[in-house]
Amino acid sequence: ILNVEQSPQSLHVQEGDSTNFTCSFPSSNFYALHWYRWETAKSPEALFVMTLNGDEKKKGRISATLNTKEGYSYLYIKGSQPEDSATYLCAGPSGGTSYGKLTFGQGTILTVHP
Amino acid sequence: EPEVTQTPSHQVTQMGQEVILRCVPISNHLYFYWYRQILGQKVEFLVSFYNNEISEKSEIFDDQFSVERPDGSNFTLKIRSTKLEDSAMYFCASNTDRDYGYTFGSGTRLTVV
């Protein structure tokens, strides 16, 4: 059974601060790691799908790294803005492939104060 | 940008009643999913659907649940006899390629009273 854990559970930062949070997963039988941003009253939005150890992906001010050997991924936000306030979810497929059933972490709730 | 649409956004139903949650996935997507989040808990997988049949389902997805894609556009989740513990936000999702992230709908909040 895949167990995906995220930390911290919540985070409050000031506008302009850079921040990062962690997603941990079992390093054995790794297939892929998804990151989603979920704003209140909206649908979760895919940020990254990472598959290779050492992967680093970037989308604007948001970037993510992946370490499959030690079982973690970091999500970084540079120069946080109030519109970055959201719940950030990571998830991994647990069906023995890189797709299909995703097991989600509990999310990190980010609040960026103006 | 194409969206996954879900209706209704909120449904209140009496325990024991049947509910149908509706989703219109993105038209060229091939893989379809239902997930739910009970308040305060993790988002959890219910079922995946590909090539007009269920490809995987979770332990939650018992005989009370069913899915259909009746007309090639709508993708529905039916709960035959709702229980209080079925109260949750239900999300539909789809994707076109196995290595891409999912596109989620904005969810249906189901409240069973």
Side-chain angles (χ1 to χ4, degrees):
Chain A
I1 295 176
L2 184 65
N3 191 29
V4 179
E5 298 293 334
Q6 291 185 248
S7 63
Q9 190 173 353
S10 65
L11 199 51
H12 290 257
V13 301
Q14 289 296 127
E15 182 175 355
D17 287 350
S18 292
T19 187
N20 67 86
F21 22 94
T22 307
C23 174
S24 302
F25 52 86
S27 55
S28 58
N29 297 320
F30 173 83
Y31 296 96
L33 194 283
H34 294 223
W35 280 102
Y36 291 86
R37 175 171 59 201
W38 186 11
E39 295 177 66
T40 303
K42 294 188 178 179
S43 50
E45 173 200 357
L47 290 173
F48 307 112
V49 177
M50 309 180 79
T51 55
L52 298 175
N53 184 44
D55 241 359
E56 184 167 343
K57 296 201 172 184
K58 192 173 178 183
K59 188 175 183 177
R61 292 179 292 98
I62 303 176
S63 60
T65 61
L66 179 68
N67 183 325
T68 60
K69 293 185 178 179
E70 295 182 37
Y72 64 83
S73 176
Y74 292 142
L75 191 80
Y76 300 90
I77 303 178
K78 186 177 175 183
S80 304
Q81 299 296 308
E83 57 264 31
D84 296 327
S85 297
T87 298
Y88 290 83
L89 297 167
C90 69
S94 52
T97 62
S98 63
Y99 55 91
K101 168 185 173 182
L102 288 181
T103 297
F104 281 83
Q106 65 271 53
T108 292
I109 303 169
L110 174 67
T111 305
V112 182
H113 299 279
Chain B
E1 192 168 325
E3 290 183 341
V4 173
T5 56
Q6 287 187 244
T7 54
S9 56
H10 190 185
Q11 180 150 0
V12 181
T13 189
Q14 296 236 324
M15 192 168 56
Q17 294 296 303
E18 174 183 287
V19 294
I20 297 176
L21 309 184
R22 301 181 193 280
C23 170
V24 180
I26 294 171
S27 59
N28 65 339
H29 283 191
L30 302 175
Y31 306 89
F32 311 106
Y33 311 88
W34 284 99
Y35 286 80
R36 75 176 186 187
Q37 187 187 36
I38 295 170
L39 195 61
Q41 298 186 21
K42 293 182 179 183
V43 175
E44 53 189 357
F45 169 80
L46 293 176
V47 67
S48 58
F49 194 85
Y50 170 69
N51 203 24
N52 281 323
E53 60 182 21
I54 290 174
S55 47
E56 191 173 0
K57 59 184 181 179
S58 71
E59 292 171 356
I60 304 164
F61 196 89
D62 61 20
D63 292 344
Q64 293 300 311
F65 290 85
S66 62
V67 288
E68 264 194 333
R69 193 152 186 263
D71 55 12
S73 61
N74 293 287
F75 180 49
T76 60
L77 174 70
K78 183 193 289 187
I79 310 175
R80 273 182 254 287
S81 177
T82 49
K83 306 184 188 78
L84 294 175
E85 55 265 36
D86 294 328
S87 295
M89 180 75 91
Y90 287 78
F91 291 99
C92 172
S94 66
N95 66 346
T96 183
D97 187 284
R98 295 166 169 181
D99 291 329
Y100 282 85
Y102 297 174
T103 302
F104 281 87
S106 54
T108 294
R109 179 161 297 286
L110 177 66
T111 304
V112 183
V113 297

